[in-house]
Amino acid sequence: MQTPAEQIAPPIVMVLAGHDPSGGAGIQADIETLTSLGCHPCTVITALTAQDSVSVKDFQPVPATFLIEQARAVLEDMPVAAFKIGMTASVEIVEAIHTLLQDYRQVPVILDPVLAGGGGGSLAKAHLTEALMDLLVPHTTVITPNSVEARLLCGDADSLEACAQQLMAQGAEYVLITGGHESTADIINRLWGNRQMVSEYSQTRLPGEFHGTGCTLASAIAGYLAHGAAVPTAIRDAQAYTARAVAHARRLGMGQLIPNRLAWCTQSGSRH
Ligand code: PLP
């Protein structure tokens, strides 16, 4: 007979991302999302940030060798079902993650190419976009840039369609470009795969600005994939999960609202 510990084996997702002390984005958003989707997150810190719900003040990448040490300790111990990569901060960290991914080519990679905080303030050292394009995009199963990040990554693309094509040509299997920063009445997210647009998702734009929505979405995709969902299904369900967290977001500071990623398990999804 199995022991209780053997019976309950949640899929393990390795998150490589930055720490946000406001608890709105970064590693904490990833932990809340993945835990609430029934996964076990293993969290490898890429950088510390100093920020609040308003803006980023500063950030410090961890030494690249120490990032590898954190990740290898876990990778040699536990079977990882998906990687979720968020803030990478520096070229050295991107190079370190690239080295790790070479050894785990069969594990899906969800890349949220974080370059700035939601409220403003850079989270990227020099030449990060080039390093992401050259070293991480080719290993990516799903890349989830918002429209601003997509344009920054694909400097010479003249449309979001062209950005998506460039990211796929670079090796990303699926490209989900989110439209929260566009001036459309509703938020339109678009998914490309196999060199063509495969789905368009429209959501009502809620009033306010939100901190950590990109992290929530990318982690939810990783969580559903780790449970064995097909990519388009994982992306559809992750958007629904994120929309619910945003609909129940709370004002905890003076800036952006913080999504309630546990809304689904509080009474009637309300403001507890
Ligand atoms: N990761 C970290 C550590 C951050 O601090 C932020 C934003 O401040 C992000 C990721 C991206 O946040 P969002 O999900 O709002 O794009």
Side-chain angles (χ1 to χ4, degrees), residues 70-82:
Q70 292 178 69
R72 289 253 188 251
V74 175
L75 288 165
E76 282 158 23
D77 183 38
M78 299 183 190
V80 166

Side-chain angles (χ1 to χ4, degrees), residues 16-106:
L16 302 110
H19 178 255
D20 166 9
S22 80
I27 283 284
Q28 184 166 331
D30 300 320
I31 293 172
E32 290 175 3
T33 301
L34 287 162
T35 306
S36 73
L37 290 178
C39 294
H40 176 76
C42 290
T43 48
V44 174
I45 307 293
T46 55
L48 300 177
T49 71
Q51 65 180 304
D52 53 23
S53 63
V54 179
S55 64
V56 177
K57 326 287 178 204
D58 202 358
F59 67 95
Q60 291 279 348
V62 303
T65 49
F66 193 60
L67 176 115
I68 293 188
E69 209 177 325
Q70 292 178 69
R72 289 253 188 251
V74 175
L75 288 165
E76 282 158 23
D77 183 38
M78 299 183 190
V80 166
F83 289 105
K84 185 264 168 172
I85 303 169
M87 176 183 178
T88 48
S90 71
V91 171
E92 292 74 18
I93 296 287
V94 169
E95 288 169 348
I97 296 174
H98 171 75
T99 304
L100 290 167
L101 295 183
Q102 308 276 17
D103 295 340
Y104 296 89
R105 288 176 182 269
Q106 73 293 354

Side-chain angles (χ1 to χ4, degrees), residues 17-21 24-27 29-30 46-47 49 51-52 56 84 86-87 112 114-121 123 146 149 181 210-216 256:
H19 178 255
D20 166 9
I27 283 284
D30 300 320
T46 55
T49 71
Q51 65 180 304
D52 53 23
V56 177
K84 185 264 168 172
M87 176 183 178
D112 178 18
V114 173
L115 300 172
L123 289 171
N146 60 41
E149 291 161 346
H181 292 76
F210 304 92
H211 189 56
T213 52
C215 308
T216 307
Q256 300 183 302

Side-chain angles (χ1 to χ4, degrees), residues 20-257:
D20 166 9
S22 80
I27 283 284
Q28 184 166 331
D30 300 320
I31 293 172
E32 290 175 3
T33 301
L34 287 162
T35 306
S36 73
L37 290 178
C39 294
H40 176 76
C42 290
T43 48
V44 174
I45 307 293
T46 55
L48 300 177
T49 71
Q51 65 180 304
D52 53 23
S53 63
V54 179
S55 64
V56 177
K57 326 287 178 204
D58 202 358
F59 67 95
Q60 291 279 348
V62 303
T65 49
F66 193 60
L67 176 115
I68 293 188
E69 209 177 325
Q70 292 178 69
R72 289 253 188 251
V74 175
L75 288 165
E76 282 158 23
D77 183 38
M78 299 183 190
V80 166
F83 289 105
K84 185 264 168 172
I85 303 169
M87 176 183 178
T88 48
S90 71
V91 171
E92 292 74 18
I93 296 287
V94 169
E95 288 169 348
I97 296 174
H98 171 75
T99 304
L100 290 167
L101 295 183
Q102 308 276 17
D103 295 340
Y104 296 89
R105 288 176 182 269
Q106 73 293 354
V107 178
V109 175
I110 300 32
L111 173 62
D112 178 18
V114 173
L115 300 172
S122 174
L123 289 171
K125 301 265 187 204
H127 306 297
L128 187 68
T129 52
E130 295 93 319
L132 288 169
M133 283 301 263
D134 291 345
L135 297 177
L136 294 191
V137 173
H139 287 276
T140 298
T141 312
V142 187
I143 184 166
T144 62
N146 60 41
S147 53
V148 177
E149 291 161 346
R151 291 189 184 100
L152 286 168
L153 286 172
C154 305
D156 48 4
D158 57 10
S159 66
L160 292 177
E161 165 75 33
C163 291
Q165 292 297 345
Q166 199 173 318
L167 290 164
M168 287 185 285
Q170 194 65 20
E173 208 177 322
Y174 287 89
V175 178
L176 178 68
I177 301 185
T178 58
H181 292 76
E182 300 297 284
S183 55
T184 50
D186 287 338
I187 295 179
I188 316 283
N189 299 342
R190 292 193 178 89
L191 175 66
W192 284 263
N194 207 9
R195 300 297 168 101
Q196 57 192 348
M197 200 180 86
V198 289
S199 301
E200 188 171 277
Y201 311 87
S202 175
Q203 292 167 18
T204 305
R205 187 183 291 278
L206 297 173
E209 290 192 12
F210 304 92
H211 189 56
T213 52
C215 308
T216 307
L217 177 64
S219 272
I221 295 171
Y224 285 117
L225 283 182
H227 276 292
V231 172
T233 310
I235 288 174
R236 182 201 63 199
D237 292 351
Q239 288 178 95
Y241 174 87
T242 305
R244 183 171 190 172
V246 168
H248 295 282
R250 291 160 305 185
R251 179 171 298 288
L252 302 176
M254 290 184 275
Q256 300 183 302
L257 307 183

